[in-house]
């Protein structure tokens, strides 16, 4: 176990476990796979399922995939068969250049459980490149006095292939003066030298032209040629010599163009033009010539192209100093490139999952790798995420991480997270790369609908039109999508006997409540029921609320007259003693109104009268009284029309007709005004006395004439009929009397019993006997059958037999 590229978080301390999985062909589960360059696309490389010892179905189930740090891996994995195939032809020279062996690193990612395996793919070279001479013609100036065996440097050929496919030998066209040998420079590159076999004679042949051929070792071999033109010059017997045979210098990779790197110096013992030295690169590749320049007069080497440590760490250059006579000396300059922190860390995402479900702990979100092309401290990295997020980073193997949740997430608290992954190297200055991902949290149905109110009170006026919108209930759901789609419904009424579905309906989509039919305040003043709100999640969640409907009264009932009855078979007649004084109480009109409130406030008014100035009606209690003394001129029969009106808007009214008969044959004290208190027992005794006197008078008349008995009896019956003796029909009163005030329309209770003794053979009267007010009608909300006692207590005439 080893630790490489550790990440130190400035915001949190994360424990990283780096697991190295060694993969080799011998002695391990994996071998280094190999493939020949230029192999066609789709070619078979290996079967990962077989090499991993897994079934074919396991690769698909574990989400197997291949990935690389630079995300340029030309491989694809068929997870159905386990075959690893080429996605494109490979060019070894493009991938690795002169590096041997050419090995590509990639990873095999397996999930459930998470496992990352390191695998290598070696790209094998084929002989697809021919040797090339950068200079198609080389000119050599050789003094004629050069000794046999003298060696002259020639430019080497370059071959992009490696190994046996690279340049292996050089040959030259047939010549009596020269042959070619091959040498190896400090970098391991082979270069040719021209060896003098026979002394030159300027006068005999001042110039020679040779063909230099470079051969590689491929099958079949490839070759490249160049022309070597030898110019024979006279007498220069001293070659230039450098002060150092080997120069070494280190420069940073961010050096400016034109910077002086080093100055190479050589001298020549010859004098004159033969002692003049010029400098040039020898055996320099095209890359060296593009990157460096040398002053041919001073030997100064300067920078002409940008350096990149990550591409080339060092350069080895052969410098040739040549005098005017063609003699030369050589030296080697090694330039070491020093790394600077000029590369930002890189983040490569291998797997990313979004959205993730809420209420699930330790959910894998992303697998990614990091790398920095710099080296040393500049290549060490720190990987962090913000501390205030419920996520954590874990390390798998070298520079591989996976991001997962710390605990269960709640979508209703936060539905989206923007996570910034920061990778900072430890170089100077520190460079940071940030990668931001957006993680969506998917919803599950974990919130029940909630009503905006626990209870609703709605008002509707009676006699409403059917399908009237009376109000709206509303509920909200913190979930989303179908989990938040709410359906409303009626559940049950608080009164189990109430047919709720015939009264109220609800719109399932928006919660609007409608009255299905007209409501009657007098029949139903208020009712309650429950409504439900249900979402469409799984499992289904619901909640309830209470709705109270209050019916408002409308003035839709006319006053009803309880006394005197207006639908009797014979009109009722009130008796008025002719001796009655002003303010005498004749009768009291009793009426009720089934409405409530001010719609049930009744007032009384005298509309018509035979003698308008004789009678008055108290507006608030319906008492009919005399306003003056009766005179002989007053008629004995009076007809009064009274109006009973409520206080609604608009007001409703009813009329009542009273017949008043002025009585002459008896005398009785008038009833006191309401404000004067009398002893009820005294009044009853006085009434009894007058009745006895009346009975005695009738008896005396009866005794005077037996002969006229039949005639008198007949006359009495006719007289009784003319006086309007009333009989009360049963069942006249309405079954239900409603008064919202609870005290009716009477300011005081007056109850009287008036009877005629008919059919007894006498003319006795029991007249205006007060009855104590011990019975009252039942009003709001109480529906009872009227008893005979109630009917008698309302002051109705009854036939006394």
């Amino acid at each position: 176990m080893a630790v490489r590229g550790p990440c130190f978080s400035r915001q949190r301390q994360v424990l990283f476990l780096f697991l190295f999985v060694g993969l080799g062909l011998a002695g391990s589960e994996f071998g280094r796979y190999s493939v020949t360059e230029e192999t066609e696309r789709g070619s078979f490389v290996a079967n990962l399922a077989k090499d991993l010892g897994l079934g074919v179905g396991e690769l698909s189930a574990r989400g197997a995939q291949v990935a690389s740090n630079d995300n340029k891996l030309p491989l694809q994995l068929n997870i159905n068969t386990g075959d690893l195939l080429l996605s494109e032809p490979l060019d070894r020279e493009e991938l690795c250049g002169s590096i041997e062996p050419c090995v590509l690193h990639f990873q095999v990612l397996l999930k459930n459980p998470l496992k990352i395996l390191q695998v290598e793919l070696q790209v094998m070279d084929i002989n697809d490149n021919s040797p090339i001479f950068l200079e198609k013609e080389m000119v050599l100036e050789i003094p004629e006095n050069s000794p046999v065996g003298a060696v002259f440097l020639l430019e080497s050929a370059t071959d992009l292939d490696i190994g046996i496919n690279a340049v292996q030998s050089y040959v030259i066209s047939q010549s009596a003066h020269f042959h070619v040998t091959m040498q190896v420079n400090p970098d391991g590159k082979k270069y040719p030298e021209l060896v003098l076999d026979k002394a030159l004679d300027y006068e005999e042949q001042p110039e020679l032209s040779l063909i230099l051929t470079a051969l590689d070792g491929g099958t079949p071999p490839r070759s490249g040629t160049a022309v070597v033109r030898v110019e024979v010059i006279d007498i220069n017997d001293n070659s230039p010599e450098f002060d150092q045979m080997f120069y070494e210098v280190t420069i940073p990779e961010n050096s400016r163009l034109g910077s002086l790197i080093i100055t190479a110096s050589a001298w020549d013992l010859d004098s004159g033009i033969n002692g003049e030295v010029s400098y040039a690169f020898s055996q320099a590749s095209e890359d060296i010539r593009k990157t460096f320049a040398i002053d041919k007069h001073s030997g100064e080497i300067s920078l002409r192209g940008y350096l990149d440590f990550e591409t080339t760490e060092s350069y080895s250059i052969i410098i040739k100093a040549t005098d005017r006579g063609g003699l030369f000396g050589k030296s080697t300059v090694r330039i070491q490139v020093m790394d600077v922190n000029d590369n930002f860390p890189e983040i490569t995402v291998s797997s990313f999952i979004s959205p993730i479900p809420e209420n699930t702990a330790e959910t894998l979100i992303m697998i990614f790798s990091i790398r920095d092309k710099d080296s040393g401290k500049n290549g060490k990295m720190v990987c962090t995420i913000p501390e205030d997020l419920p996520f954590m980073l874990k390390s798998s193997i070298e520079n591989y991480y996976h991001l997962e949740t710390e605990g269960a997430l709640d979508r209703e608290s936060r539905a989206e997270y923007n996570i910034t992954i920061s990778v900072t190297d430890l170089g100077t200055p520190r460079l940071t790369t940030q990668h931001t991902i957006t993680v969506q949290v998917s919803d599950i149905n974990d919130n029940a609908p909630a009503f905006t109110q626990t209870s609703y009170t709605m008002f509707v006026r009676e006699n409403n039109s059917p399908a009237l919108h009376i109000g709206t209930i509303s509920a909200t759901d913190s979930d989303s999508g179908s989990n938040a789609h709410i359906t409303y419904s009626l559940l049950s009424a608080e009164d189990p006997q109430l047919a709720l579905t015939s009264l109220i309906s609800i719109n399932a989509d928006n919660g609007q409540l409608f009255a299905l039919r007209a409501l009657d305040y007098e029949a139903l003043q208020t009712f309650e029921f429950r409504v439900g709100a249900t979402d469409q999640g799984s499992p289904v969640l619901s909640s309830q609320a209470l709705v109270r409907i209050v019916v408002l009264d409308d003035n839709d009932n006319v006053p009803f007259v309880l006394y005197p009855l207006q639908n009797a078979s014979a009109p009722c007649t009130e008796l008025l003693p002719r001796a009655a004084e002003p303010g005498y109480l004749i009768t009291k009109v009793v009426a009720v109104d089934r409405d409530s409130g001010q719609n049930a406030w009744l007032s009384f008014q005298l509309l018509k009268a035979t003698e308008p100035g004789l009678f008055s009606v108290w507006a608030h209690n319906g008492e009919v009284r005399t306003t003056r003394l009766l005179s002989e001129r007053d008629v004995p029969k009076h007809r009064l029309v009274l109006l009973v009106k409520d206080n609604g808007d608009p007001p409703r009214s009813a009329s009542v007709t009273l017949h008043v008969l002025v009585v002459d044959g008896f005398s009785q004290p008038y009833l006191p005004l309401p404000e004067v208190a009398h002893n009820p027992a005294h009044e009853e005794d006085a009434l009894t006395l007058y009745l006895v006197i009346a009975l005695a008078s009738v008896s005396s008349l009866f005794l005077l004439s037996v002969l006229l008995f039949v005639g008198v009896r007949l006359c009495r019956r006719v007289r009784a009929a003319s006086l309007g003796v009333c009989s009360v029909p049963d069942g006249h009163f309405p079954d239900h009397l409603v008064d919202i005030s609870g005290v009716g329309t009477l300011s005081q209770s007056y109850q009287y019993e008036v009877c005629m003794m008919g059919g007894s053979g006498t003319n006795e009267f029991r007249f205006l006997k007060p009855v104590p007010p011990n019975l009252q009608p039942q009003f709001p909300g109480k529906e009872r059958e009227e008893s005979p006692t109630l009917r008698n207590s309302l002051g109705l005439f009854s036939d006394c037999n």
Side-chain angles (χ1 to χ4, degrees):
M1 181 176 296
V3 176
R4 181 181 178 187
C7 293
F8 303 98
S9 174
R10 292 175 300 184
Q11 301 168 320
R12 63 172 66 183
Q13 290 185 347
V14 182
L15 180 61
F16 300 109
L17 178 62
F18 296 93
L19 176 62
F20 282 91
V21 180
L23 303 175
L25 183 60
S28 65
E29 297 180 2
F30 269 73
R32 176 186 291 179
Y33 297 122
S34 63
V35 63
T36 303
E37 68 170 335
E38 305 299 336
T39 302
E40 294 181 356
R41 176 180 178 180
S43 298
F44 175 83
V45 177
N47 188 284
L48 285 182
K50 180 178 179 181
D51 294 343
L52 288 171
L54 301 176
V56 175
E58 288 186 75
L59 290 179
S60 177
R62 297 184 63 179
Q65 66 181 96
V66 293
S68 66
N69 289 338
D70 56 6
N71 209 21
K72 296 180 180 179
L73 184 66
L75 294 175
Q76 61 183 12
L77 175 62
N78 188 331
I79 60 174
N80 295 322
T81 62
D83 292 338
L84 187 64
L85 309 174
L86 283 179
S87 60
E88 62 184 37
L90 302 180
D91 187 350
R92 192 208 64 80
E93 288 74 23
E94 180 180 352
L95 293 174
C96 300
S98 60
I99 298 175
E100 185 180 15
C102 180
V103 178
L104 302 181
H105 298 273
F106 68 96
Q107 298 80 36
V108 179
L109 307 181
L110 299 175
K111 305 174 184 176
N112 302 321
L114 178 64
K115 187 174 183 181
I116 303 176
L117 304 174
Q118 294 280 12
V119 186
E120 295 179 352
L121 177 66
Q122 183 175 356
V123 181
M124 307 300 293
D125 184 47
I126 63 173
N127 191 24
D128 58 343
N129 293 281
S130 299
I132 298 175
F133 288 93
L134 296 179
E135 294 182 5
K136 294 300 182 180
E137 184 180 60
M138 292 176 277
V139 178
L140 295 179
E141 295 179 348
I142 302 176
E144 65 176 345
N145 59 349
S146 297
V148 174
V151 177
F152 304 93
L153 290 177
L154 297 176
E155 293 293 332
S156 62
T158 59
D159 193 334
L160 296 179
D161 296 324
I162 60 172
I164 192 64
N165 295 323
V167 175
Q168 298 296 319
S169 62
Y170 291 89
V171 295
I172 198 169
S173 58
Q174 187 174 2
S175 173
H177 294 278
F178 299 97
H179 76 273
V180 173
T181 61
M182 190 172 62
Q183 304 295 330
V184 180
N185 64 19
D187 288 339
K189 294 183 179 180
K190 299 177 181 180
Y191 63 94
E193 289 183 343
L194 189 64
V195 181
L196 183 61
D197 292 333
K198 180 181 178 182
L200 299 175
D201 186 356
Y202 176 81
E203 287 73 21
E204 179 181 351
Q205 190 176 3
E207 184 176 302
L208 292 84
S209 181
L210 306 174
I211 302 299
L212 178 64
T213 302
L215 299 172
D216 62 22
T219 303
R222 291 174 176 264
S223 63
T225 60
V227 175
V228 179
R229 186 161 56 87
V230 178
E231 296 180 354
V232 181
I233 60 176
D234 277 335
I235 312 170
N236 184 23
D237 55 353
N238 289 288
S239 300
E241 294 184 6
F242 284 92
D243 56 0
Q244 297 183 39
M245 294 303 295
F246 185 80
Y247 296 90
E248 186 170 10
V249 64
T250 301
I251 60 172
E253 61 175 326
N254 60 348
S255 298
R256 294 180 301 173
L257 296 182
S259 300
L260 177 64
I261 300 175
I262 194 172
T263 300
S265 178
W267 70 92
D268 193 318
L269 296 178
D270 294 323
S271 62
I273 61 174
N274 291 328
E276 295 179 2
V277 178
S278 63
Y279 301 90
F281 292 141
S282 178
Q283 314 294 327
S285 65
E286 184 178 3
D287 184 37
I288 292 177
R289 296 177 184 273
K290 290 181 178 180
T291 307
F292 304 98
I294 187 169
D295 190 298
K296 67 178 182 177
H297 300 295
S298 63
E300 293 179 349
I301 299 176
S302 60
L303 186 66
R304 66 183 301 180
Y306 292 103
L307 301 176
D308 187 1
F309 174 84
E310 289 70 38
T311 301
T312 306
E313 297 182 5
S314 64
Y315 297 88
S316 182
I317 306 173
I318 297 176
I319 304 173
K320 181 174 68 173
T322 306
D323 61 19
R324 295 288 295 272
L327 299 180
F328 67 90
K330 62 180 182 178
S331 178
T332 301
V333 177
R334 183 174 183 83
I335 301 175
Q336 184 71 39
V337 181
M338 183 176 62
D339 182 42
V340 297
N341 195 26
D342 60 344
N343 289 280
F344 284 85
E346 298 176 359
I347 299 176
T348 302
V349 178
S350 300
S351 175
F352 176 64
I353 302 173
S354 179
I356 58 175
E358 63 175 332
N359 300 340
T360 303
E362 296 184 359
T363 302
L364 178 64
I365 299 173
M366 187 174 73
I367 302 173
F368 65 96
S369 62
I370 61 175
R371 74 164 185 166
D372 194 315
K373 293 180 180 179
D374 295 319
S375 62
K377 189 176 181 180
N378 296 331
K380 294 182 179 180
M381 295 164 288
V382 174
C383 186
T384 61
I385 60 173
E387 286 186 339
D388 57 347
L389 297 178
F391 301 94
M392 58 183 175
L393 279 176
K394 291 185 178 180
S395 176
S396 303
I397 60 174
E398 177 188 2
N399 293 339
Y400 258 88
Y401 299 90
H402 59 274
L403 177 68
E404 62 183 35
T405 59
E406 283 186 336
L409 302 180
D410 184 12
R411 191 206 64 83
E412 289 71 39
S413 299
R414 189 167 178 180
E416 180 180 289
Y417 293 88
N418 290 323
I419 306 173
T420 299
I421 301 173
S422 299
V423 181
T424 304
D425 61 28
L426 301 181
T428 303
R430 296 195 174 189
L431 302 179
T432 300
T433 297
Q434 291 184 336
H435 181 77
T436 300
I437 60 173
T438 299
V439 178
Q440 304 283 345
V441 182
S442 60
D443 183 53
I444 64 173
N445 194 27
D446 57 347
N447 290 278
F451 282 95
T452 56
Q453 301 174 216
T454 56
S455 63
Y456 297 82
T457 301
M458 300 178 183
F459 299 89
V460 57
R461 190 166 293 278
E462 66 172 329
N463 302 323
N464 58 282
S465 59
L468 176 68
H469 177 224
I470 59 177
T472 302
I473 61 172
S474 179
T476 59
D477 196 312
S478 300
D479 295 319
S480 65
S482 61
N483 296 332
H485 185 79
I486 298 176
T487 301
Y488 300 92
S489 62
L490 296 176
L491 296 182
S492 63
E494 294 296 301
D495 183 359
Q497 297 181 353
L498 183 66
L500 180 62
T501 56
S502 65
L503 297 176
I504 300 296
S505 70
I506 188 171
N507 189 313
D509 296 325
N510 55 28
Q512 292 182 345
L513 293 173
F514 299 89
L516 295 178
R517 60 180 177 85
L519 301 179
D520 185 5
Y521 173 85
E522 288 71 36
L524 184 63
Q525 298 179 7
T526 182
F527 58 95
E528 296 178 348
F529 57 91
R530 291 195 170 273
V531 293
T534 305
D535 60 28
Q536 295 185 1
S538 179
V540 174
L541 301 179
S542 62
S543 61
Q544 299 181 9
L546 180 67
V547 178
R548 184 172 185 264
I549 304 296
V550 177
V551 183
L552 301 178
D553 182 45
D554 198 5
N555 192 26
D556 59 343
N557 292 282
V558 298
F560 181 79
V561 179
L562 298 177
Y563 178 80
L565 294 177
Q566 298 300 296
N567 58 350
S569 60
C572 293
T573 303
E574 303 291 344
L575 301 180
L576 173 62
R578 188 175 292 278
E581 297 185 3
Y584 180 81
L585 176 62
I586 300 172
T587 187
K588 179 180 178 68
V589 177
V590 181
V592 294
D593 195 314
R594 295 185 66 189
D595 295 321
S596 64
Q598 66 179 11
N599 294 330
W601 298 350
L602 302 181
S603 62
F604 302 85
Q605 180 182 354
L606 181 61
L607 292 181
K608 296 180 181 179
T610 307
E611 292 290 341
L614 181 58
F615 304 98
S616 66
V617 178
W618 284 29
H620 300 296
N621 57 18
E623 293 180 352
V624 180
R625 295 179 181 271
T626 61
T627 59
R628 62 176 174 82
L629 291 173
L630 278 75
S631 64
E632 294 298 332
R633 294 190 299 271
D634 293 326
V635 298
K637 292 183 179 180
H638 296 270
R639 181 175 179 272
L640 308 180
V641 178
L642 282 74
L643 180 68
V644 183
K645 182 173 64 174
D646 61 25
N647 197 37
D649 183 20
R652 292 179 177 269
S653 61
S655 63
V656 57
T657 301
L658 293 177
H659 295 274
V660 179
L661 178 64
V662 179
V663 180
D664 292 326
F666 63 94
S667 174
Q668 174 184 342
Y670 63 88
L671 291 177
L673 294 173
E675 61 270 12
V676 180
H678 288 272
N679 189 344
H682 177 72
E683 292 179 352
E684 189 171 343
D685 292 341
L687 181 59
T688 303
L689 177 61
Y690 287 116
L691 291 176
V692 171
I693 295 174
L695 181 61
S697 300
V698 174
S699 298
S700 298
L701 293 174
F702 177 79
L703 293 175
L704 289 176
S705 180
V706 176
L707 295 175
L708 297 177
F709 173 78
V710 174
V712 172
R713 184 169 183 149
L714 293 172
C715 290
R716 186 171 66 249
R717 290 181 177 177
V718 172
R719 183 180 179 183
S722 65
L723 292 175
V725 177
C726 300
S727 62
V728 181
D730 291 339
H732 173 76
F733 292 93
D735 292 340
H736 307 289
L737 304 178
V738 180
D739 186 352
I740 197 62
S741 65
V743 296
T745 61
L746 308 179
S747 60
Q748 300 185 27
S749 298
Y750 294 91
Q751 302 166 353
Y752 302 96
E753 186 179 79
V754 180
C755 297
M756 289 183 61
M757 302 297 294
S760 62
T762 66
N763 291 330
E764 294 181 358
F765 290 84
R766 282 170 44 187
F767 181 69
L768 293 175
K769 179 180 178 181
V771 179
N774 57 356
L775 295 174
Q776 297 293 334
Q778 300 298 320
F779 288 110
K782 300 180 181 179
E783 301 176 355
R784 299 180 181 175
E785 293 294 326
E786 295 175 353
S787 64
T789 304
L790 175 59
R791 295 176 179 173
N792 294 335
S793 66
L794 293 174
L796 306 179
F797 288 107
S798 62
D799 189 8
C800 302
N801 293 321

